[in-house]
């Protein structure tokens, strides 16, 4: 992803008339150098616009409430992790755990069910195959809002409002269109020869899927997996409708995104802004770590997913 | 498609593999979508189990609903500006990153550190909208403590005693929200366009160079036409995002489910949620959902049609 189109080697040699790199820069590179500074200028400004608010927010966790209310450009005075501790006690820890509990089940289940459906649709011709495929994929077209009202009552009917299992099933269902779409095109590209060999060896269809196809589809599964992790981790609308305590005695099972918004509303009258900033910083750190470790795959995965 | 797999009584296997995914998908996605259409013709409150069929009353009421019409207008504004601003910035930066390097090669050399820029620019994409809402809530604070006001006051552009009330100013609030969406999206589309630019064979650039094309000419005559497919896809995606906007509006602006001040930042999704969860007008909310769906479909088709060009094979 990060490879850059390089000018072909012979071009630059021809251009500089065989002179060394320094001569090249002096003679004909002047127009290019100006543009280089020019483009770096714009690029750097945008990079600062991205990074600055994030750093400013993280620094806010080390300020006092009065400092945050005062000047935005003041430097933090107390370099301790107090606000982080308070944010954690305020529920960020629980919200974090709730999100993890849901995703530990929803992501693998999404991958399993999505690949099963995609595999059958990609490699087994049967009457209605195309119809079922488009049926699955069409779900990605609709705005989720359209379904919210009936979805709420559907989940209520199953008595699964404000439960982990309810949200897990809904997450899996709503991740299905994209997962099926992506894995379908992936399974189609896998060679048939391996499949045939497995059939001759007497492997059952189920066995072929789990022991031959799934291992071969690993790169595709990783891409979809990352996409689903990001999508489900950042989901806000579904939990905010489905994960509200239904009665006074119902435990609060907010997810991280809901918890942050809740914290933002609370701090309005509790005047403890450092807690809010610390909470957001805590929520941001795992994404930063995951992103920096997998940025190549994330960029490649999301890009190919969109272009396909 | 595998020929081995054909026939020979695999019905059981196929059904077994499709059963669970289909059941879940039908129950939680398709059936609610279908139900929305049905409920949109009723006066259902959501609380009581009984409701009456009221025909197109909800839709007729929608036409007269000033708040909804305002929301629709705001959505349309966003629908034009979000894709245009995001795509233009992303194209500009993508060209800078991929072709802003030292000249002479017809503008096909990337700047040094292009990988670094891509990493930084893309990062907002992995942040949740909830984080964005809190972050920009703080940036747009109405006193000196807000990043934007703080900087403007320090630069002497804004009076310390009268800071700009970004999100409370009827004329500004929508554009402040637009800025958040653009800030969030540019990096992703930059990476998307970069990938497309890199898949363009180098000989095309060399040919353009030999023909004496300058950098601007190369961009408009070579790069852009070859990227058109990606630009088109991006416009549709951004359009769908601009139709939504629920999380940002409902959490950043004033009012029940956002939309303030005085409905100036209202979007259809916030009106829908308010009618559903706050006013208990579920049938009416469903009618709004249907209108949103129809508009999304129409706009996708229009975008694809309007931007259609002859496909260039390479």
């Amino acid at each position: 992803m990060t490879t850059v189109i390089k000018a072909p080697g012979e071009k630059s040699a021809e251009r500089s008339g065989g002179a060394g790199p320094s001569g090249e820069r002096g003679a004909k590179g002047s127009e290019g150098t100006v543009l280089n500074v020019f483009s770096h200028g714009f690029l750097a400004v945008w990079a600062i616009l991205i990074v600055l608010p994030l750093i400013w927010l993280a620094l806010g966790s080390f300020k006092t409430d009065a400092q945050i209310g005062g000047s935005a450009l003041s430097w933090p005075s107390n370099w301790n992790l107090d606000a982080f501790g308070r944010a954690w006690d305020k529920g960020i820890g629980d919200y974090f755990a709730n999100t993890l509990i849901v995703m530990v089940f929803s992501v693998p289940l999404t991958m399993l069910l999505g690949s099963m459906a995609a595999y059958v649709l990609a490699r087994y011709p049967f009457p209605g195959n195309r119809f079922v495929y488009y049926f699955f994929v069409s779900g990605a077209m609709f705005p989720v809002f359209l379904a919210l009202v009936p979805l709420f009552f559907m989940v209520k009917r199953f008595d699964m409002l404000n439960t982990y299992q309810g949200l897990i099933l809904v997450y899996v269902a709503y991740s299905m269109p994209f997962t099926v779409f992506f894995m379908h095109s992936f399974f189609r590209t896998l060679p048939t020869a391996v499949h045939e060999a497995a059939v001759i060896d007497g492997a059952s269809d189920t066995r072929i899927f789990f022991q031959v196809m799934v291992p071969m589809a690993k790169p595709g599964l990783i891409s979809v997996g990352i996409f689903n992790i990001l999508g489900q981790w950042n989901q806000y609308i579904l939990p905010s409708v489905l994960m509200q305590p239904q009665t006074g005695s119902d435990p609060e099972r907010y997810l991280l995104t809901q918890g942050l918004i809740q914290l933002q509303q609370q701090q309005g009258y509790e005047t403890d802004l450092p807690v809010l900033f610390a909470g957001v910083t805590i929520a941001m750190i795992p994404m930063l770590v995951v992103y920096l470790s997998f940025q190549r795959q994330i960029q490649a995965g999301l890009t190919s997913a969109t272009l396909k | 498609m595998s020929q081995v797999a054909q026939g020979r009584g695999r019905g059981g296997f196929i059904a077994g593999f499709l059963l669970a995914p289909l059941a879940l998908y039908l129950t939680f996605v398709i059936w609610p979508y279908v139900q929305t259409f049905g409920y949109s013709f009723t006066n259902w409150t959501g609380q009581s189990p009984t409701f009456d069929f009221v025909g197109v009353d909800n839709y007729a009421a929608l036409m007269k609903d000033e708040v909804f019409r305002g929301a629709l207008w705001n959505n349309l504004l966003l629908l034009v500006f979000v894709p245009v601003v995001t795509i233009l910035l992303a194209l500009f930066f993508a060209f800078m990153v991929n072709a802003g390097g030292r000249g002479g090669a017809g503008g096909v050399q990337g700047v040094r550190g292009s990988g670094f820029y891509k990493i930084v620019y893309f990062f907002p994409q992995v942040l949740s909208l909830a984080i964005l809402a809190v972050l920009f809530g703080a940036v747009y604070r109405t006193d000196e403590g807000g990043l934007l006001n703080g900087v403007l006051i320090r630069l002497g552009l804004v009076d310390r005693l009268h800071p700009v009330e970004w999100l409370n100013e009827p004329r500004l609030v929508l554009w402040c929200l637009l800025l958040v969406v653009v800030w969030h999206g540019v990096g992703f589309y930059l990476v998307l366009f970069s990938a497309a630019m890199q898949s363009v064979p180098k000989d095309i650039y060399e040919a353009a160079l030999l023909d004496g094309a300058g950098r601007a000419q190369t961009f408009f005559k070579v790069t852009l036409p070859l990227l058109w497919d990606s630009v088109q896809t991006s416009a549709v995606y951004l359009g769908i995002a601009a139709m939504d906007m629920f999380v940002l509006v409902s959490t950043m602006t004033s009012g029940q489910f956002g939309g303030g001040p005085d409905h100036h930042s209202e979007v259809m999704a916030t009106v829908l949620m308010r009618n559903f969860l706050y006013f208990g007008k579920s049938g009416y909310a469903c009618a709004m959902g249907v209108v949103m769906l129809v508009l999304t479909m129409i706009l996708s088709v229009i975008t694809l049609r309007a931007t259609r060009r002859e496909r260039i094979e390479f």
Side-chain angles (χ1 to χ4, degrees):
Chain A
M1 287 312 301
T2 47
T3 47
V4 176
I5 298 175
K6 296 237 167 48
E10 79 273 6
K11 271 268 163 290
S12 58
E14 174 193 317
R15 195 161 45 90
S16 56
S22 55
E24 184 185 332
R25 195 169 299 144
K28 286 195 173 179
S30 62
E31 183 241 357
T33 314
V34 171
L35 207 102
N36 202 353
V37 173
F38 171 81
S39 44
H40 265 299
F42 279 107
L43 289 169
V45 166
W46 190 261
I48 290 167
L49 285 179
I50 296 290
V51 173
L52 194 71
L54 296 171
I55 293 177
W56 174 75
L57 188 85
L59 283 178
S61 329
F62 299 100
K63 292 180 183 174
T64 63
D65 197 61
Q67 263 187 317
I68 291 181
S71 172
L73 305 179
S74 63
W75 197 248
S77 62
N78 63 320
W79 287 103
N80 56 46
L81 299 173
D82 249 26
F84 291 92
R86 270 178 289 145
W88 195 261
D89 292 337
K90 274 251 181 233
I92 292 292
D94 294 335
Y95 305 146
F96 214 102
N98 288 339
T99 308
L100 278 182
I101 291 170
V102 169
M103 285 182 55
V104 160
F105 292 97
S106 65
V107 172
L109 202 58
T110 304
M111 309 293 287
L112 177 69
L113 295 182
S115 339
M116 276 164 53
Y119 174 68
V120 168
L121 293 171
R123 300 187 76 111
Y124 291 80
F126 59 90
N129 181 311
R130 293 311 282 169
F131 175 77
V132 176
Y133 171 71
Y134 282 117
F135 190 64
F136 264 121
V137 172
S138 63
M141 291 274 297
F142 308 134
V144 69
F145 282 97
L146 184 61
L148 275 186
V149 181
L151 177 67
F152 175 84
F153 291 99
M154 180 65 80
V155 176
K156 190 178 183 179
R157 200 169 304 154
F158 288 120
D159 230 357
M160 291 201 293
L161 283 176
N162 201 29
T163 62
Y164 296 124
Q165 61 270 32
L167 194 65
I168 289 166
L169 292 180
V170 170
Y171 272 11
V172 174
Y174 279 85
S175 310
M176 207 56 82
F178 175 74
T179 311
V180 169
F181 176 61
F182 193 98
M183 288 314 294
H184 183 267
S185 59
F186 202 89
F187 279 123
R188 291 194 80 133
T189 62
L190 294 182
T192 53
V194 184
H195 190 176
E196 280 159 19
V199 171
I200 290 162
D201 286 348
S204 71
D205 288 299
T206 316
R207 204 183 149 116
I208 292 173
F209 174 72
F210 284 107
Q211 294 194 332
V212 178
M213 288 300 167
V214 168
M216 282 208 296
K218 215 166 142 195
L221 285 170
I222 291 173
S223 287
V224 188
I226 292 172
F227 191 91
N228 281 325
I229 288 171
L230 287 177
Q232 295 183 5
W233 179 270
N234 289 336
Q235 184 57 249
Y236 172 76
I237 298 155
L238 289 174
S240 69
V241 171
L242 300 176
M243 296 297 265
Q244 300 281 354
Q246 296 304 303
T247 61
S249 56
D250 231 12
E252 195 180 74
R253 292 204 184 89
Y254 286 155
L255 300 201
L256 194 55
T257 45
Q258 274 175 290
L260 283 179
I261 298 298
Q262 155 108 338
L263 202 61
Q264 185 189 32
Q265 283 156 1
Q266 276 174 6
Q267 58 81 23
Y269 46 90
E270 284 181 10
T271 60
D272 193 357
L273 282 165
V275 158
L276 177 66
F277 285 24
V280 175
T281 310
I282 293 174
M284 231 156 48
I285 287 170
M287 291 333 274
L288 186 63
V289 172
V290 169
Y291 175 61
L292 288 179
S293 337
F294 297 103
Q295 51 93 7
R296 239 167 240 268
Q297 290 94 319
I298 289 175
Q299 291 193 356
L302 290 188
T303 312
S304 64
T306 314
L307 284 180
K308 257 177 196 158
Chain B
M1 197 167 291
S2 168
Q3 293 308 306
V4 194
Q6 248 169 345
R8 285 188 290 158
R10 286 194 153 79
F13 167 73
I14 294 170
F17 261 40
L18 279 178
L19 190 68
L22 256 184
L24 263 182
Y25 182 65
L26 272 172
T27 313
F28 292 113
V29 184
I30 295 298
W31 185 232
Y33 277 132
V34 173
Q35 277 182 306
T36 297
F37 285 94
Y39 287 142
S40 75
F41 296 106
T42 69
N43 63 358
W44 187 41
T45 60
Q47 304 304 320
S48 72
T50 59
F51 48 81
D52 301 315
F53 181 80
V54 294
V56 293
D57 279 12
N58 284 327
Y59 293 93
L62 263 185
M63 304 285 235
K64 294 194 204 101
D65 189 332
E66 289 289 338
V67 174
F68 186 76
R69 284 205 331 231
L72 180 65
W73 175 246
N74 286 342
N75 267 129
L76 290 177
L77 276 181
L78 290 167
L79 199 79
V80 172
F81 284 99
V82 168
V84 167
V85 176
T86 310
I87 288 175
L88 283 182
L89 276 175
L91 270 177
F92 177 71
F93 288 130
F95 192 64
M96 288 292 167
V97 163
N98 288 293
R102 221 141 32 76
V108 287
Q109 189 168 18
V111 293
R112 194 169 298 173
S114 58
F116 167 78
Y117 286 124
K118 278 191 220 168
I119 292 174
V120 172
Y121 287 9
F122 194 86
F123 180 61
Q125 199 63 38
V126 301
L127 296 178
S128 66
L129 289 171
I131 290 181
L132 287 194
V134 177
L135 170 65
F136 279 90
V139 167
Y140 286 135
R141 268 178 70 118
T142 54
D143 56 23
E144 215 186 328
L147 184 59
L148 213 47
N149 270 322
V151 169
L152 290 175
I153 288 172
R154 181 65 60 92
L155 291 174
L157 293 171
V158 167
D159 180 7
R160 179 184 297 267
L161 298 173
H162 304 283
V164 185
E165 301 208 20
W166 299 105
L167 297 172
N168 293 327
E169 180 67 55
R171 280 172 302 130
L172 286 180
V173 61
L174 205 62
W175 308 110
C176 289
L177 293 168
L178 175 88
L179 210 75
V180 180
V181 182
V182 171
W183 185 87
H184 178 243
V186 164
F188 174 74
Y189 292 96
L190 166 124
V191 170
L192 193 78
F193 295 147
S194 289
M197 279 183 193
Q198 278 160 26
S199 68
V200 175
K202 279 174 217 146
D203 358 339
I204 297 183
Y205 283 117
E206 286 178 50
L209 177 73
L210 287 175
D211 290 344
R215 199 177 297 266
Q217 258 183 316
T218 312
F219 177 76
F220 285 108
K221 298 271 169 65
V222 181
T223 311
L224 193 57
L226 292 175
L227 285 188
W228 201 250
D229 268 2
S230 323
V231 173
Q232 204 181 29
T233 317
S234 309
V236 174
Y237 274 85
L238 284 161
I240 291 172
M243 286 296 273
D244 182 332
M245 295 287 292
F246 172 74
V247 180
L248 288 181
V249 177
S250 69
T251 53
M252 289 179 67
T253 61
S254 56
Q256 193 71 35
F257 294 100
D262 196 23
H263 301 304
H264 278 90
S265 64
E266 207 77 78
V267 290
M268 288 186 283
T270 56
V271 185
L272 188 158
M273 286 295 267
R274 193 180 307 123
N275 276 284
F276 165 41
L277 289 174
Y278 195 62
F279 297 151
K281 292 159 89 175
S282 295
Y284 192 48
C286 284
M288 290 183 198
V290 174
V291 171
M292 280 181 77
L293 173 74
V294 172
L295 285 177
T296 309
M297 300 278 226
I298 292 174
L299 289 160
S300 299
V301 173
I302 290 178
T303 312
L304 291 176
R305 283 270 164 125
T307 57
R308 188 165 59 185
R309 293 194 178 180
E310 208 167 310
R311 202 192 161 92
I312 300 160
E313 304 282 346
F314 59 86

